[in-house]
Amino acid sequence: MVAIFLPEGLSFFVGDFRLSVARVLIFCSFIAALQQLGQRLGARTVVCVPSDILAPLAGVWMMLAATVTDGPAGFKGAGIEALTFVGAYLTFRFLLGPVDSSVRIARFSCKLMILIVGIALLDPLSDKLFTYEFIKGITGYTKLSYDGPLAIRADTFYRDGVARAMGPLEHSILFGAVCVWFGVVAFTTFRHQALGWGVAGIALIGVWFSQARSPLLAYLIGFALASFYAASPRFTARWKLVGLCVTALLLVVFTFSGSPVATLVRLSGVSPEAAWARQAIWDTGGPVVLGSPIFGIGLNGDWNWQSHGALVSSSVDAFWLATAMSYGIPGSALILLTIASACWLGSIDKSPSLTSEERRLSVALGIVITTIAFLGFIVHFWGICWILIAVFTGMRANLAETAILRDRAAPAAQTRCDPISGGI
C-alpha cells in the first residue's frame, strides 16, 4: 500500500518499460498469488467469485485488442496495464491472511491516507506542486504535460489563483477520488471509532482543496449511501430501493432530455461548463467507439476531437468511454463487470461468520465500487487509481470467499466438539 502511493517521479526504466516500485512488487506478488491459488485449488479451499474469471478475461482482452489495433507496440503497452490490474486483483484476492487481514489493511490504509492528505496540502500552501517539484529536484524527472500548464498557471493545476492539491498522485481529480474512497472505507468500517470520523473529515478537506467538483459529488453520494446503511439496519431491501430510484431517474433523463449526460451532471450540482464539456466528450467519442466497437482505436489512436467546438484537447474525461476507445466495448464492459461481480455472491454484511468490522468493510467496499462506477462516466482513472480499483475489487471478493469458507467450516468444528464437556 505504501508503494502504491509513491510519486511517479520515483519510477525507473527497465529496457523500454517505465516501471514503478508498486508495479515491480505487484508483478512479484502476482506470481506468489498464482502459486497460492494452485495450492488452494489442490486442497479445494477456493470459492469461485465471478470476478476471479472476469479479471483475467479483462486482462487478456486488453492485450488482444491492443495487439490487433497497434501490433507489438500495443501489446507492450496494454500488457503492462493488464498485468498491473490483474496482478493487483489477485494479490489482494489470494494473499490476504485468514484472520481479519482485510480490516487490518483497511485500517493501515486509512492512517496512511492522513499522511497523503497532509503531503497534498503542501501544494496550495506553497502555491506550487510541492511533491512534483521536490521529486524533480532529486531525480530530474519532468513531464512536459506538467511544466507547460504550470508556467501559465492553467486551470489544470490552478483554480481561482490557488494551486490544487494533488500530492503524490498524477492529478488533483485522482487525489480527490482517492480521498473519497478511503473516506468512505473509514467512515463505514470504523464509524464507532475516532479513526473513522477523523479520516472521513480529513478526506473531505482533501477533496475540498483538490478543487475537483466530480470527487466532491462522489463524496456526497458515498456518505449518503453509508449514512443510509447505518440508519436502516433492519431494512434488508435498502439497496434494491436505491437501485430502483437510480434506474427510474436514468430512464426519465434519457427519455426526455436531448443532452442526458449534461442534464445528469447539472442535476448533480456540477458547473454548467463542466456539464457541457462532458456531453461534448460523449457526443464526439461515442461515434468513434461505434465505428470500431470490438477492438477500439488503440492506446494512441487518433480521433477527430477538433470536430466539436467545445473540446480543447484529445483528453477523454470519462473512464468507461476512454477504455472503450482503447480496447473496444468488450474491454470496457469486462472491467466494469469485474468490479461489479466481486459483489455478485450476495450481501455478506449479515454473515455470522464475519466480524462486525469485516461486515461493515464489505459494505464500504460495495459503496466504493459504486462511486468508481459513477465517477467513471465523468472522470478518467489511471496510475494509482487504476491499481486501487483492482485492490478494492480483490478485497471485496476475498471477504465474500471468507464468509462462505467460514460458514462451511462451522458445522465441521461443531462435530469435533465433545457434546458433554465442550472440549475438542
Side-chain angles (χ1 to χ4, degrees), residues 191-216:
R191 66 171 183 259
H192 301 306
Q193 304 173 25
L195 175 67
W197 289 89
V199 172
I202 292 172
L204 178 58
I205 293 173
V207 174
W208 183 263
F209 281 95
S210 74
Q211 300 190 61
R213 300 182 183 91
S214 298
L216 180 59

Side-chain angles (χ1 to χ4, degrees), residues 248-258 260:
L249 174 63
L250 293 177
L251 286 175
V252 170
V253 171
F254 277 86
T255 300
F256 297 103
S257 175

Side-chain angles (χ1 to χ4, degrees), residues 144-162:
L144 293 178
S145 59
Y146 283 18
D147 291 338
L150 284 172
I152 61 174
R153 299 177 69 89
D155 285 346
T156 304
F157 300 114
Y158 289 87
R159 186 159 290 169
D160 297 327
V162 179

Side-chain angles (χ1 to χ4, degrees), residues 94-292:
F94 293 109
L95 293 185
L96 298 186
V99 182
D100 213 22
S101 56
S102 296
V103 173
R104 287 186 281 114
I105 288 177
R107 181 179 287 108
F108 173 80
S109 301
C110 290
K111 294 177 180 178
L112 179 63
M113 200 62 211
I114 299 174
L115 176 62
I116 300 301
V117 173
I119 294 174
L121 291 181
L122 294 175
D123 295 343
L125 290 174
S126 63
D127 198 34
K128 63 181 181 181
L129 298 186
F130 180 86
T131 304
Y132 171 69
E133 297 292 348
F134 178 74
I135 297 298
K136 182 170 69 172
I138 296 176
T139 65
Y141 173 81
T142 61
K143 291 186 71 171
L144 293 178
S145 59
Y146 283 18
D147 291 338
L150 284 172
I152 61 174
R153 299 177 69 89
D155 285 346
T156 304
F157 300 114
Y158 289 87
R159 186 159 290 169
D160 297 327
V162 179
R164 302 171 65 180
M166 187 174 80
L169 283 88
E170 298 91 335
H171 197 282
S172 57
I173 289 179
L174 301 185
F175 170 66
V178 169
C179 286
V180 171
W181 297 341
F182 284 103
V184 167
V185 168
F187 179 75
T188 307
T189 309
F190 310 112
R191 66 171 183 259
H192 301 306
Q193 304 173 25
L195 175 67
W197 289 89
V199 172
I202 292 172
L204 178 58
I205 293 173
V207 174
W208 183 263
F209 281 95
S210 74
Q211 300 190 61
R213 300 182 183 91
S214 298
L216 180 59
L217 171 62
Y219 185 96
L220 296 176
I221 292 174
F223 278 80
L225 292 175
S227 300
F228 180 50
Y229 167 74
S232 56
R234 301 181 183 278
F235 185 30
T236 57
R238 63 172 75 86
W239 304 128
K240 293 181 180 179
L241 175 62
V242 172
L244 182 63
C245 292
V246 172
T247 301
L249 174 63
L250 293 177
L251 286 175
V252 170
V253 171
F254 277 86
T255 300
F256 297 103
S257 175
S259 304
V261 175
T263 300
L264 287 171
V265 177
R266 287 290 306 278
L267 289 174
S268 303
V270 178
S271 67
E273 295 83 1
W276 286 108
R278 265 46 175 201
Q279 183 68 57
I281 290 172
W282 279 91
D283 288 344
T284 311
V288 174
V289 173
L290 295 178
S292 184

